[in-house]
Amino acid sequence: MFGALTRFAEALGLAFRLRQKQPRLWRGSKAAALAVNLLSVSLLLVARVATATPTPEGIAFFESKIRPVLVEHCYQCHSAAAFRDGKLKAELFVDSRAGMEKGGESGSAIVPGKKAESLLLSAIEYDRFEMPPDGKLPDSVIADFRSWIEMNAPDPRDEPLAESRQRAIDVEAGRQHWSYRRLGSTPLPNVKKSDWCSSDIDRFVLATLENAGIEPNGPAPRETLTRRVFLDLTGLPPSPGELQLFLSDTAPDAYEKLVDRLLASLRYGERWARHWLDAVRFAESGGYEFDNNRLGAHHYRDFVIKAINDNMPYDEFLRLQVAGDVLRPGDYAAVSASGFFVAGPYPGQLTVKTTEPIRYDQLDDMIASLGSSMLGMTIGCARCHDHKYDAITHRDYYAMIACLQNTVHTTVKVDPNPIATNLLRAEWEAKRMAVLSALNAGPTEELHQTLKAIDAKEPKPALVEIYSTGGGGGDVFVLARGDVSRKQEKAQAGFVRAALTADAVEAELMTGADGKPVPHPRVALARFLTDTESGAGPLSARVAVNRLWHHHFGRGIVATPNDLGTQGEKPTHPELLEWLAGKLVESHWQLKSIHKLIVMSATYRQSGVVNTASRIKDPDNLLLWHRQPVRLEGEAIRDSLLSLAGTLDTTMYGQGTLDAASKRRSVYLTVKRSEPVAFLQEFDQPEPIQSIGARGAATVPTQALVMMNSPLVRLAAEGLAKRAREAIGGSGSPAIAYALSAAVSRVPRPEELEKLTALLSTREQEAGNDQGHRERALIDICQLILCLNEFIYID
């Protein structure tokens, strides 16, 4: 691609030199048109290069799903090594991105985004060619290649490098990367305009703004702030009554009391659980061609909601997900939490030939998801070789999956309420003992019958089936180039050493307080994740607070929440990130304390007013001088519609439903990989096949069409119109004012109210005496309000 761009640039230069030296030949010739065409093509190529930059998630997908297949089935005939050995076939190289796009004798092997033009896909589908020649690949693997091409074929391989030419990773130097360092004391910066600050967070933000010569905004209107904090913390808009309650509270601590109330709301856990479920690729089916349902998978979702509502310390939250079933066997919450590892896709059918490759793929999915969600690391990129950019060695990757070598998909029967079961049994035993004592004193037929009746009612625990982790699997081996057929030595359980203070710490974490090895390597892995003194605890804390910041502001302090490595974005406010991570650990890992720090800050409470001078200096608002609008996720839009309609079912926990018309919150809709909810997909709900740190927020015409034509939106408009009529006892402008206030949490502007009232009056006049048509006029106005950008954005 770059070679073609260079040739176009050279041709363009020749054309313009012709214009300078031979102006007469230039005029009237085709050279001018040629130059313009060349410039257009060059710009298109530049745009293609710019848009082809792979995301961390895309690279992780390639490393876990695509590269191992290429290595195992294609490299022997289509690589630089095959060329050196004289075995290259069809002049095709698949061991580099450039080789794939150039193709071989028959054309391009891969055309990003275009499955029909990608000959490699045709070959593995046995369409025009039949590759590999020794047998067709499993359908699940072919489906992975289709998905990869659809996501524009992300491929980090810049050039074909032989394994011997790759750089040796310096783990000790890697420990100096900013996100792997120990947490230290972060002094508060000095600022000039300290009266603007309402928390220590603001001092870090303001210091950066003052250095750039930018003035921060003042506070947003109270109506705007109310809607903002309601949607951020609970995912639901305030009702007109809740809005008025806050606006009428003139106490200095009115806003703080509101924040405390929202953090104590059960809706808070449902809102923030959805963010975490994205990060752990949660679904309730196996995916692939069979997409079998996973009965009992919803218990993991329920664990996450309850843990967040209960303000479970974040380090405990991680420990239970990694090793809960080992640390607290038989405990409902702990076993449910262990569903983390088995939340990813898993083929529904195994054969003798595919069992072992699929097992290594599953281990890769587990450790890659842990790396992305909990550590902000792209660990999966070290499956075939040392990580190309970060200090993660091939050895570290296999040490990590060796921690999971006895971790498999299974179902576990657990008593969800053992305390109640024990109380019932104690009562039963007391009754039985009383009857036995009476029998010993003087047996009668009546007493025998009573004992028989009691025995028939012996209480049994009400066991539930949980889709979780179980033992099994056996040894794991280091694989040369990720190839299952090229096993090397047995992998020993261990960790990514760059996140440790020293290599020797690895053995210490594997040893219990009694000096003996820990009972299960996952217990050691859990310790590694949360050990702030010598393990990866500082990294886990940074990842956690950065995620919170991302969901409150629409962009993290590090804009790549799943990648805090060298290829992730650099932090915009590094000292603030360190300070927040330190605060999290200092507060005993209480996430609610960090939420409160953030939403109480002047930075969070800023208005969205944009001024020209500041925009010129910081056009992307990286320094946070104003509040940037954030588009709601599809789930929050759907939940808000149900709330406005007055039909939201707040039933918590339990089995979800595939019925998109359900009135329950969206977090309780069953996530079946082959049956996504169309409305949620329209607003960028991701596919749960890998960890997602930041959702996209595309703006496409079909979103407007959905809001105009969806039955969900129409029913919400009907419900909102009914509530408005009941609230004000009629129709007209008061009903419109109520509906607008409910939908966007503000009083309508005079010109808005005038236009909408005039439209309502016209529609009602057209309806005449037909009461049904007159009522539909207000419903139409309500649907128009729901179609406002203001409704689906947090200002």
Side-chain angles (χ1 to χ4, degrees):
M1 184 186 298
F2 287 99
L5 184 59
T6 302
R7 289 191 292 273
F8 274 116
E10 289 171 352
L12 187 60
L14 286 173
F16 279 105
R17 282 197 293 276
L18 174 64
R19 179 185 180 187
Q20 289 176 333
K21 296 181 179 180
Q22 301 289 342
R24 290 184 181 178
L25 288 176
W26 172 268
R27 298 189 195 98
S29 73
K30 296 180 180 179
L34 174 64
V36 172
N37 288 336
L38 288 171
L39 179 60
S40 300
V41 172
S42 299
L43 290 174
L44 285 172
L45 283 167
V46 170
R48 183 181 176 190
V49 170
T51 57
T53 303
T55 63
E57 291 84 3
I59 291 175
F61 188 87
F62 171 84
E63 295 290 2
S64 62
K65 305 290 186 183
I66 305 303
R67 190 199 289 263
V69 178
L70 295 175
V71 170
E72 181 177 355
H73 296 286
C74 308
Y75 275 26
Q76 60 215 35
C77 299
H78 304 287
S79 65
F83 175 76
R84 288 192 297 270
D85 296 338
K87 298 178 181 179
L88 184 71
K89 303 289 180 66
E91 298 182 8
L92 172 62
F93 293 88
V94 299
D95 57 346
S96 70
R97 184 178 66 237
M100 296 273 268
E101 292 183 354
K102 179 185 176 185
E105 296 172 341
S106 303
S108 295
I110 291 296
V111 180
K114 297 181 180 180
K115 293 184 291 184
E117 298 177 29
S118 298
L119 296 183
L120 180 62
L121 184 60
S122 298
I124 64 175
E125 288 178 335
Y126 277 36
D127 183 5
R128 284 175 280 177
F129 311 94
E130 292 186 358
M131 291 291 164
D134 57 347
K136 190 176 180 182
L137 296 173
D139 291 343
S140 59
V141 173
I142 296 172
D144 287 338
F145 273 82
R146 290 194 197 101
S147 299
W148 176 60
I149 294 169
E150 286 173 349
M151 62 175 74
N152 285 323
D155 186 342
R157 301 172 302 168
D158 292 331
E159 56 180 329
L161 287 175
E163 192 169 1
S164 61
R165 291 174 55 194
Q166 292 187 357
R167 64 183 177 86
I169 287 183
D170 186 339
V171 173
E172 188 58 44
R175 291 185 176 119
Q176 302 311 308
H177 180 62
W178 68 266
S179 66
Y180 301 162
R181 295 175 189 161
R182 298 302 100 186
L183 289 171
S185 176
T186 307
L188 297 176
N190 295 319
V191 293
K192 299 173 186 175
K193 195 179 177 182
S194 59
D195 57 335
W196 178 80
C197 302
S198 61
S199 83
D200 289 339
I201 284 176
D202 301 321
R203 300 181 72 87
F204 291 98
V205 174
L206 184 59
T208 307
L209 289 172
E210 287 180 346
N211 287 337
I214 298 175
E215 285 281 327
N217 274 0
R222 295 188 85 198
E223 296 92 336
T224 302
L225 182 59
T226 308
R227 185 171 189 269
R228 181 187 300 170
V229 75
F230 260 84
L231 286 167
D232 268 356
L233 292 180
T234 70
L236 297 170
S239 68
E242 289 170 321
L243 176 62
Q244 193 54 45
L245 182 66
F246 173 65
L247 295 180
S248 62
D249 188 347
T250 57
D253 64 344
Y255 178 65
E256 185 175 5
K257 289 188 293 186
L258 174 63
V259 169
D260 288 339
R261 182 161 62 84
L262 295 176
L263 287 172
S265 166
L266 296 176
R267 310 285 81 81
Y268 155 76
E270 293 171 331
R271 166 66 164 163
W272 284 84
R274 183 59 264 170
H275 296 320
W276 182 254
L277 295 177
D278 275 2
V280 300
R281 85 284 187 233
F282 170 76
E284 295 165 77
S285 66
Y288 295 97
E289 62 272 31
F290 294 101
D291 198 29
N292 296 324
N293 294 329
R294 291 175 173 169
L295 298 179
H298 67 275
H299 294 288
Y300 174 77
R301 174 248 290 153
D302 290 350
F303 160 78
V304 174
I305 295 172
K306 191 173 190 307
I308 292 174
N309 271 333
D310 292 346
N311 203 20
M312 177 183 285
Y314 183 71
D315 58 343
E316 180 70 2
F317 182 65
L318 297 187
R319 274 194 294 269
L320 289 182
Q321 291 178 79
V322 172
D325 60 320
V326 181
L327 293 168
R328 287 159 40 185
D331 179 85
Y332 171 73
V335 174
S336 299
S338 301
F340 159 73
F341 277 124
V342 293
Y346 187 70
Q349 245 185 6
L350 301 178
T351 65
V352 173
K353 183 178 179 180
T354 62
T355 296
E356 191 169 37
I358 286 174
R359 181 183 177 230
Y360 278 92
D361 286 347
Q362 285 304 296
L363 291 171
D364 179 77
D365 166 73
M366 292 175 183
I367 211 63
S369 298
L370 178 142
S372 296
S373 62
M374 299 180 182
L375 293 171
M377 283 182 169
T378 52
I379 297 175
C381 295
R383 179 177 182 175
C384 301
H385 49 73
D386 288 347
H387 199 293
K388 190 172 182 180
Y389 304 106
D390 296 337
I392 305 172
T393 67
H394 191 52
R395 173 266 180 205
D396 292 346
Y397 170 88
Y398 284 94
M400 290 285 278
I401 69 168
C403 291
L404 310 179
Q405 62 187 6
N406 291 316
T407 303
V408 298
H409 293 242
T410 190
T411 55
V412 182
K413 289 186 176 182
V414 175
D415 183 356
N417 196 347
I419 294 176
T421 301
N422 290 338
L423 286 173
L424 287 173
R425 185 160 189 86
E427 291 175 6
W428 174 82
E429 288 177 347
K431 289 179 182 178
R432 193 171 188 277
M433 288 299 297
V435 175
L436 286 172
S437 297
L439 278 169
N440 290 333
T444 65
E445 182 60 28
E446 184 181 355
L447 285 174
H448 279 295
Q449 292 301 320
T450 302
L451 182 61
K452 193 174 181 180
I454 290 173
D455 286 345
K457 295 181 179 179
E458 181 181 1
K460 303 273 176 63
L463 301 179
V464 296
E465 280 200 359
I466 300 173
Y467 193 84
S468 186
T469 57
D475 293 337
V476 168
F477 294 87
V478 176
L479 306 180
R481 303 296 295 175
D483 185 348
V484 176
S485 66
R486 297 174 63 190
K487 292 186 179 72
Q488 297 179 326
E489 71 274 12
K490 178 182 173 182
Q492 301 300 318
F495 316 112
V496 176
R497 290 166 297 159
L500 301 170
T501 52
D503 287 0
V505 173
E506 189 173 59
E508 294 171 10
L509 291 174
M510 285 289 179
T511 306
D514 57 1
K516 297 178 180 178
V518 292
H520 196 291
R522 275 197 282 125
V523 174
L525 180 59
R527 292 173 62 186
F528 162 73
L529 289 173
T530 56
D531 186 328
T532 55
E533 296 299 320
S534 53
L539 178 57
S540 298
R542 291 181 182 105
V543 171
V545 296
N546 188 61
R547 282 198 195 284
L548 300 193
W549 192 275
H550 166 79
H551 291 300
H552 280 301
F553 288 92
R555 186 186 192 279
I557 297 174
V558 177
T560 49
N562 275 10
D563 187 2
L564 271 61
T566 59
Q567 293 302 292
E569 293 287 334
K570 301 296 185 290
T572 55
H573 298 78
E575 293 83 7
L576 173 57
L577 182 60
E578 293 299 291
W579 183 83
L580 283 171
K583 280 291 179 184
L584 177 62
V585 175
E586 185 183 305
S587 68
H588 305 289
W589 299 83
Q590 302 286 323
L591 291 179
K592 284 188 179 182
S593 67
I594 304 300
H595 280 295
K596 186 171 181 178
L597 275 174
I598 292 173
V599 300
M600 290 297 296
S601 69
T603 304
Y604 177 84
R605 290 193 264 178
Q606 284 183 104
S607 74
V609 175
V610 177
N611 66 76
T612 304
S614 297
R615 184 170 59 190
I616 290 172
K617 293 179 179 178
D618 181 23
D620 295 323
N621 193 38
L622 298 181
L623 304 184
L624 301 172
W625 53 271
H626 74 99
R627 173 71 185 196
Q628 209 149 346
V630 177
R631 222 272 315 281
L632 287 170
E633 308 90 351
E635 292 90 339
I637 295 172
R638 179 182 177 276
D639 294 347
S640 296
L641 289 168
L642 292 172
S643 177
L644 288 172
T647 59
L648 180 64
D649 178 357
T650 57
T651 301
M652 296 183 71
Y653 307 132
Q655 187 70 46
T657 176
L658 284 168
D659 181 10
S662 168
K663 300 300 188 289
R664 296 187 71 187
R665 285 202 76 169
S666 301
V667 73
Y668 298 112
L669 293 177
T670 298
V671 184
K672 187 170 176 63
R673 288 186 162 93
S674 62
E675 297 181 30
V677 178
F679 184 89
L680 303 183
Q681 271 202 313
E682 198 60 56
F683 291 95
D684 304 296
Q685 182 192 41
E687 290 187 57
I689 57 175
Q690 59 185 346
S691 174
I692 298 295
R695 286 193 182 190
T699 301
V700 293
T702 47
Q703 291 168 344
L705 294 174
V706 164
M707 294 301 289
M708 287 191 290
N709 297 292
S710 167
L712 171 67
V713 181
R714 186 63 180 180
L715 288 171
E718 291 172 2
L720 180 57
K722 180 182 177 182
R723 288 179 62 200
R725 280 192 297 269
E726 291 173 350
I728 56 94
S731 186
S733 59
I736 294 173
Y738 179 93
L740 192 65
S741 173
V744 296
S745 305
R746 65 170 174 81
V747 175
R749 292 183 283 272
E751 63 272 17
E752 288 177 323
L753 194 57
E754 182 181 347
K755 289 179 180 179
L756 290 174
T757 303
L759 178 59
L760 176 63
S761 178
T762 300
R763 300 296 298 273
E764 288 180 338
Q765 288 174 10
E766 292 172 352
N769 294 324
D770 187 326
Q771 188 60 31
H773 279 79
R774 291 180 68 85
E775 290 181 356
R776 278 198 289 275
L778 181 58
I779 294 171
D780 290 342
I781 297 297
C782 286
Q783 185 162 1
L784 181 62
I785 290 171
L786 297 178
C787 288
L788 293 172
N789 273 347
E790 199 173 348
F791 172 66
I792 64 171
Y793 277 84
I794 304 176
D795 286 330

